[in-house]
Amino acid sequence: SGQDVQRISVINNLSKLLKNYQKETLTCILPILRDILPLEPSHVHMLASSVFQDISFKGIVSGDVFAQHFFPIIQANCDNKDSDVAITWFDALVQGIAIVSRQYLQDKVLPIVIDRAKLSKSVASRLSSCKLFGSLAQRFDSEWSKKHVIPIVKSLCQDVDYEVRGRMCANLPPIIKSLNTADIKRHIMPELIELLNDEESSVRLASLACIVEALDPEDAETKDKIYPIIKRLCELSVEKMDNSLKVVSKSFGKLCIGLSATLSKEEKEWLKSFYNKMATLGLGLSDKSKSFGRSSPGSTNFSKQKICQGCRMNCAFNFPALTVFVGAKAFQSSLTKTMKQFCSDPCPSVRKTLACGFHEIAKILQDETTSLYYNLVELLQDKDIEVLSCLIPQLDQSIQSVVKNSTDKNISNLLLALSISERTVIASCKWRLHCKLLTNYQCLSKIATGEQIHSQFIPHLFKLLSFISKEKLQKEQSSEETKELSKSQFVIPVKLAAAKTLCIFLRYNTKVDQKKEICQRLVDDYAKSDSYLNRSLFVDISKIVLEVFSQKYFKDHFIDAIFQLMSDPVANVRLKICPMLASLKSIMKIPTDHLLMKQLEACVLKMLSSERDKDVSESLRKAVSEMDKVQITLQTSSSISHSKQNIKDKEKEEEEKRLMLMEKEKEEDTKSKTSFKSKKTTSNKKHNNEKVSIKKENSNVTGVKRPSIGLASSAINRPTSLNVASGSQHTRNHNLHLKSAPGAKLSPTQKDAPTASVSTSSKFLTSNVGTDFRKQRSNSTSSSNHSSSSASNTKSTGTRNSMTKTKSSTQPTKSTSSLKKSNSTTTTRR
């Protein structure tokens, strides 16, 4: 009927009525609602209880008002015959306890809860009182809880009905939080240890889950009591393969951490081995089901598969806790295989759970994260989008933790895995996830080299920024990359995320040529593009550049393009620039930017005089009024502003200069290294050329007949300290004198003579013999022309200097045989 519709409408809008007309609603509407609710059907009760919960949760009314007007209605309907209706009203009562005053709770609510917990009451009443005691304990201190709550809790833990005992165990954690350690050990732990030996498995498991919250890591006495019981429960859960396995696996991580301080090595090893056993449960069953076909939902094999999958998922959830329990040093020997198995688990929910906690594992391991590198690469290549959606939000933390001491090859493999994951994300059409992935790419500027980023990511980011035309799409329909990019080409948040990442890469790129190339490409492809979409996108890119870079860098590379776009033929582009005008004026500094300021004023005046579009002209007027409020900064020593914006800008500018200096230093180091190498190679070449020329000159010298007095044989057998360099230099001098002699001719037999005898004899010619030979040579060549004699003299002086240098290292031998030898050679050459 119409009245029913009106009642439902009033209940739905009760929170709005309380905000606007609180007095009228409390005095007129709530009394009528209290009278009619007992006669209304269940759906009206459900609606009213949910609205009451929303009012208490949002705090629309005060605690006293809620206790006075709403609590009586809630208490009156908590004993409804319909169990579902009673549960919803009971939830509203629990929600209202959070805002009602403590005095009201102690005077009005506590007696009702104690009365409902009596054994004479129904099981449903006792079950509801268990939850109320947990919410009441959160509002009071430990002394009040110990006096009023704990006696009733003990009686409920020893209730005759197993459901009541299990419900009380489930609601003990909030009560435990309100007590101190001594009270927990004295009053709560004995009850929990007793419930661990309960005849019902559900009560035992509830007690196990509660013990995890109540454990004191330093309480060795409690550990000795509960460890054997827990060990037996764990073994039974694996044997039975029932729902108890899920409970054990879910609380296993907290249990290990709570007991870790008092466990022996054998006990720790047992817990590690049991965890690894749980992590592999059901993998054999899944392989069998694949080989024999899928099992039906009602079969035992199917139910076991579900239980084992839930167990492995809980183990993956507890993997960070087990990493803390094992420690970073023992991680590789204890949990590496389990981690690898989780990353390749056939169940996607297991891989998804591990991906959610991957960054936590990397934080715990700190410097021992090298073993996680291959696991991260495998997760990035996962084809399930749900796994990637859990991994990507914290991907930057995972990458920075894992890639600390990695090689260039590992980094290149990681970059390849990132590109594969991006393709999967693009194919799923989840643009928000794509934006997160592109944002996480920014951490690569601190990890990968500039060449890797410039060659792999910069071209891809430019493809994401560009708008693909219909003609290009028709031409390149077969290209998979073009199809993928066409899905997100009109998603502006993706383009803005790509632009932000591109600006970060540009900022930390230390190579000047690559920076200029990227800036010029942004201006040419977007600011000067034929498409207005690209020109409009350039305005957004310039805003990002102004955030990321210093004001000086923006003014040097992008402000001229913005001035040109202020007279763009498309109104949407001009409309986008108008809100940016005030920020452009704020970055001007007089007198350095005097010309830019004049140019900005001229462009604004031109727009004001020639603008015909209504939206642009209205936005332009607002921008001009904002520009008038902006004060121009004077660049003088006395008026340096110390605002946060200017300090940040100075820091950015100094960092940019520092990056450029680092690049210059690197270039100078490389140049010095290359110049040193080139000098070394040239010196080696000169040395080799000198050796080759000496050999050629020695080959041209005639083999002179020596007197057969055994000089050569005696010289070879006799030890000497003369080196080859002095002998070769003397031979070069000898050859020069032969060339300068006008009448010196060689016989055919002398030309064909081997050079070995000449070289061996020249090694043993002393400096004194050389001087006698030069004197005789000068006397014999006195009749020659002036030019040839002057040339021979200059060369002989060079030879004399070289001979004096080698005089200290050589031992002069003044034998009569060598003198005879020199005299014989001079006579033959004459």
Side-chain angles (χ1 to χ4, degrees):
S1 64
Q3 289 183 351
D4 295 335
V5 174
Q6 286 179 355
R7 288 170 186 169
I8 293 172
S9 176
V10 169
I11 294 171
N12 271 324
N13 295 304
L14 192 61
S15 58
K16 292 182 180 178
L17 292 171
L18 285 168
K19 286 180 181 178
N20 299 322
Y21 311 100
Q22 187 170 349
K23 289 183 180 180
E24 293 82 354
T25 305
L26 294 174
T27 55
C28 300
I29 296 175
L30 279 180
I32 297 171
L33 186 64
R34 182 182 56 197
D35 295 336
I36 65 170
L37 269 175
L39 305 174
E40 291 296 323
S42 59
H43 69 276
V44 179
H45 280 274
M46 295 285 189
L47 178 62
S49 63
S50 63
V51 171
F52 279 26
Q53 289 182 47
D54 187 59
I55 291 168
S56 61
F57 179 75
K58 292 181 179 178
I60 296 173
V61 295
S62 62
D64 295 335
V65 171
F66 192 87
Q68 182 181 355
H69 296 279
F70 290 90
F71 244 71
I73 301 173
I74 295 171
Q75 291 176 7
N77 291 281
C78 279
D79 294 327
N80 197 291
K81 294 180 180 180
D82 191 343
S83 60
D84 295 331
V85 172
I87 289 170
T88 55
W89 280 113
F90 185 75
D91 292 336
L93 180 63
V94 172
Q95 185 71 37
I97 289 174
I99 64 170
V100 177
S101 64
R102 294 181 181 180
Q103 190 65 36
Y104 183 86
L105 291 174
Q106 189 170 354
D107 296 340
K108 302 290 184 180
V109 178
L110 184 62
I112 297 171
V113 177
I114 293 172
D115 183 65
R116 294 174 71 91
K118 291 180 180 179
L119 287 171
S120 58
K121 297 290 181 178
S122 63
V123 174
S125 177
R126 297 202 303 273
L127 287 172
S128 62
S129 65
C130 296
K131 193 171 183 179
L132 285 172
F133 274 117
S135 56
L136 279 172
Q138 291 178 339
R139 293 295 310 277
F140 294 94
D141 56 2
S142 60
E143 292 295 328
W144 189 92
S145 299
K146 188 169 62 175
K147 183 179 179 181
H148 297 92
V149 175
I150 286 178
I152 312 299
V153 167
K154 284 183 177 181
S155 65
L156 290 171
C157 287
Q158 297 171 2
D159 197 274
V160 293
D161 192 86
Y162 75 94
E163 289 184 3
V164 177
R165 297 196 300 271
R167 181 70 65 83
M168 192 65 249
C169 281
N171 288 280
L172 274 177
I175 299 172
I176 290 169
K177 289 180 181 177
S178 65
L179 299 173
N180 53 39
T181 307
D183 292 335
I184 293 169
K185 185 178 178 180
R186 183 180 177 184
H187 300 288
I188 303 297
M189 287 304 295
E191 301 296 331
L192 291 175
I193 292 169
E194 185 178 351
L195 291 171
L196 273 176
N197 296 312
D198 198 273
E199 57 187 5
E200 289 291 332
S201 61
S202 60
V203 179
R204 293 196 300 268
L205 295 172
S207 176
L208 177 64
C210 187
I211 280 176
V212 168
E213 303 292 337
L215 271 177
D216 184 12
E218 297 179 357
D219 189 3
E221 183 182 352
T222 306
K223 188 272 297 181
D224 294 335
K225 292 179 181 179
I226 66 173
Y227 180 79
I229 305 170
I230 290 170
K231 186 177 180 180
R232 191 180 73 241
L233 279 175
C234 294
E235 290 172 348
L236 284 173
S237 65
V238 173
E239 289 177 6
K240 291 182 179 180
M241 285 278 188
D242 56 2
N243 290 325
S244 63
L245 185 61
K246 288 185 178 180
V247 179
V248 170
S249 60
K250 188 175 182 180
S251 57
F252 196 79
K254 289 184 178 179
L255 187 68
C256 290
I257 292 174
L259 297 172
S260 60
T262 55
L263 288 173
S264 62
K265 287 185 179 180
E266 294 178 357
E267 291 169 345
K268 283 185 177 180
E269 288 297 327
W270 185 87
L271 289 171
K272 290 178 194 176
S273 62
F274 184 77
Y275 175 78
N276 291 327
K277 185 179 180 180
M278 284 195 301
T280 56
L281 285 176
L283 294 177
L285 291 173
S286 62
D287 295 337
K288 288 179 182 179
S289 64
K290 285 180 183 178
S291 59
F292 294 105
R294 292 184 178 179
S295 56
S296 60
S299 63
T300 56
N301 192 20
F302 180 80
S303 61
K304 283 184 178 180
Q305 282 183 23
K306 289 293 182 183
I307 290 169
C308 291
Q309 285 178 5
C311 175
R312 296 201 307 273
M313 188 173 68
N314 290 333
C315 288
F317 175 78
N318 285 316
F319 196 87
L322 265 293
T323 306
V324 175
F325 177 69
V326 170
K329 294 181 179 179
F331 176 82
Q332 194 165 3
S333 60
S334 302
L335 296 176
T336 304
K337 291 182 180 179
T338 308
M339 181 81 170
K340 187 178 181 182
Q341 182 265 315
F342 282 151
C343 293
S344 59
D345 196 277
C347 181
S349 59
V350 177
R351 305 195 303 272
K352 177 183 174 182
T353 308
L354 183 72
C356 289
F358 191 90
H359 66 285
E360 295 179 359
I361 301 166
K363 280 183 183 178
I364 294 165
L365 292 177
Q366 292 181 354
D367 296 333
E368 302 292 331
T369 55
T370 52
S371 58
L372 297 180
Y373 164 77
Y374 298 101
N375 301 321
L376 179 61
V377 170
E378 188 172 1
L379 287 174
L380 284 170
Q381 294 175 350
D382 201 299
K383 294 181 180 180
D384 196 323
I385 191 63
E386 295 298 325
V387 177
L388 293 175
S389 63
C390 293
L391 183 67
I392 286 172
Q394 307 292 336
L395 184 61
D396 54 344
Q397 298 179 19
S398 302
I399 291 173
Q400 289 177 2
S401 300
V402 170
V403 189
K404 283 184 178 178
N405 299 319
S406 297
T407 59
D408 292 339
K409 186 178 179 181
N410 289 343
I411 292 171
S412 60
N413 291 334
L414 179 65
L415 298 181
L416 181 62
L418 285 170
S419 63
I420 293 170
S421 66
E422 187 176 2
R423 289 178 189 173
T424 308
V425 172
I426 292 172
S428 67
C429 298
K430 292 191 174 184
W431 60 267
R432 288 183 179 86
L433 188 63
H434 194 194
C435 290
K436 290 179 182 177
L437 181 61
L438 291 172
T439 305
N440 286 325
Y441 279 172
Q442 296 174 12
C443 70
L444 297 175
S445 60
K446 302 175 183 178
I447 296 167
T449 61
E451 289 295 332
Q452 288 175 332
I453 291 172
H454 189 74
S455 60
Q456 295 185 30
F457 285 94
I458 298 298
H460 175 66
L461 291 173
F462 272 111
K463 286 180 182 178
L464 288 174
L465 285 172
S466 60
F467 291 92
I468 304 172
S469 61
K470 293 181 179 179
E471 297 176 355
K472 191 174 181 180
L473 282 173
Q474 292 175 357
K475 288 180 182 179
E476 300 180 4
Q477 283 181 354
S478 60
S479 176
E480 293 182 0
E481 187 178 0
T482 308
K483 288 180 182 178
E484 290 175 355
L485 292 174
S486 63
K487 293 179 182 179
S488 60
Q489 69 161 334
F490 292 108
V491 183
I492 301 301
V494 172
K495 294 188 179 297
L496 295 178
K500 183 70 176 289
T501 305
L502 179 65
C503 291
I504 295 293
F505 288 161
L506 179 62
R507 176 175 173 76
Y508 291 101
N509 191 344
T510 56
K511 294 194 175 181
V512 181
D513 297 338
Q514 292 179 0
K515 272 193 167 185
K516 286 182 179 179
E517 180 189 349
I518 294 169
C519 291
Q520 193 61 39
R521 187 174 176 183
L522 285 171
V523 173
D524 294 340
D525 294 355
Y526 298 95
K528 298 179 181 178
S529 175
D530 296 333
S531 172
Y532 85 95
L533 292 171
N534 288 330
R535 298 198 302 273
S536 177
L537 182 62
F538 180 80
V539 180
D540 294 325
I541 294 171
S542 62
K543 292 176 183 177
I544 295 170
V545 170
L546 197 55
E547 292 176 6
V548 174
F549 289 89
S550 64
Q551 298 173 2
K552 185 179 182 300
Y553 192 87
F554 176 79
K555 287 182 282 190
D556 291 342
H557 296 89
F558 293 94
I559 199 166
D560 293 333
I562 293 293
F563 287 156
Q564 292 176 3
L565 290 176
M566 288 173 73
S567 58
D568 195 90
V570 179
N572 286 337
V573 179
R574 302 195 303 272
L575 183 64
K576 214 166 197 177
I577 292 177
C578 289
M580 196 179 174
L581 294 176
S583 60
L584 290 177
K585 185 181 178 182
S586 64
I587 65 173
M588 299 295 177
K589 295 176 182 178
I590 304 299
T592 307
D593 301 327
H594 181 67
L595 296 176
L596 289 176
M597 189 64 195
K598 280 188 175 181
Q599 195 173 355
L600 177 63
E601 291 174 354
C603 292
V604 172
L605 289 173
K606 186 179 179 181
M607 288 182 72
L608 285 170
S609 60
S610 62
E611 188 58 54
R612 296 179 181 178
D613 190 86
K614 292 181 180 179
D615 297 329
V616 179
S617 58
E618 184 179 355
S619 179
L620 185 61
R621 285 170 196 154
K622 291 180 181 178
V624 170
S625 62
E626 290 178 0
M627 288 177 70
D628 293 337
K629 297 176 184 177
V630 175
Q631 294 181 354
I632 300 173
T633 56
L634 298 174
Q635 200 172 20
T636 57
S637 58
S638 59
S639 62
I640 295 173
S641 59
H642 295 283
S643 62
K644 291 182 179 180
Q645 185 178 359
N646 290 330
I647 291 169
K648 286 182 180 179
D649 184 67
K650 285 179 182 178
E651 289 176 357
K652 289 178 183 178
E653 192 172 344
E654 288 175 0
E655 188 178 2
E656 289 167 6
K657 289 179 181 178
R658 202 183 310 119
L659 290 170
M660 297 304 295
L661 287 172
M662 286 171 61
E663 180 60 24
K664 286 181 180 179
E665 288 176 358
K666 286 181 181 178
E667 290 179 356
E668 288 175 359
D669 290 340
T670 52
K671 284 180 181 179
S672 62
K673 286 179 181 179
T674 52
S675 62
F676 178 74
K677 287 180 180 179
S678 61
K679 285 180 181 179
K680 195 173 181 181
T681 52
T682 52
S683 63
N684 290 332
K685 285 180 180 180
K686 286 181 180 180
H687 185 65
N688 293 331
N689 291 331
E690 286 179 359
K691 285 185 177 181
V692 171
S693 63
I694 290 166
K695 287 182 180 179
K696 287 181 180 179
E697 289 172 357
N698 288 335
S699 63
N700 292 328
V701 175
T702 57
V704 182
K705 292 182 180 180
R706 303 292 181 185
S708 58
I709 55 174
L711 267 174
S713 60
S714 64
I716 291 168
N717 296 325
R718 177 169 51 86
T720 181
S721 61
L722 292 174
N723 52 11
V724 181
S726 61
S728 62
Q729 186 71 23
H730 192 277
T731 309
R732 193 182 299 122
N733 189 16
H734 190 77
N735 294 333
L736 289 171
H737 283 297
L738 283 173
K739 288 178 183 179
S740 62
K745 290 184 180 180
L746 298 176
S747 63
T749 56
Q750 290 172 341
K751 288 180 182 179
D752 298 332
T755 58
S757 61
V758 178
S759 61
T760 53
S761 62
S762 64
K763 287 180 183 179
F764 303 104
L765 291 175
T766 58
S767 58
N768 294 327
V769 177
T771 52
D772 294 336
F773 174 74
R774 279 192 293 274
K775 288 178 183 178
Q776 293 174 5
R777 185 70 187 86
S778 61
N779 293 327
S780 62
T781 56
S782 58
S783 61
S784 61
N785 55 11
H786 181 71
S787 60
S788 62
S789 64
S790 60
S792 63
N793 287 329
T794 53
K795 290 181 180 180
S796 62
T797 53
T799 308
R800 196 182 300 116
N801 292 330
S802 64
M803 291 297 291
T804 53
K805 286 180 182 178
T806 57
K807 205 169 187 179
S808 59
S809 61
T810 58
Q811 294 179 358
T813 56
K814 297 181 181 180
S815 60
T816 55
S817 59
S818 61
L819 289 170
K820 289 178 181 179
K821 180 181 174 183
S822 61
N823 291 327
S824 63
T825 52
T826 52
T827 52
T828 53
R829 287 179 183 175
R830 285 177 185 174

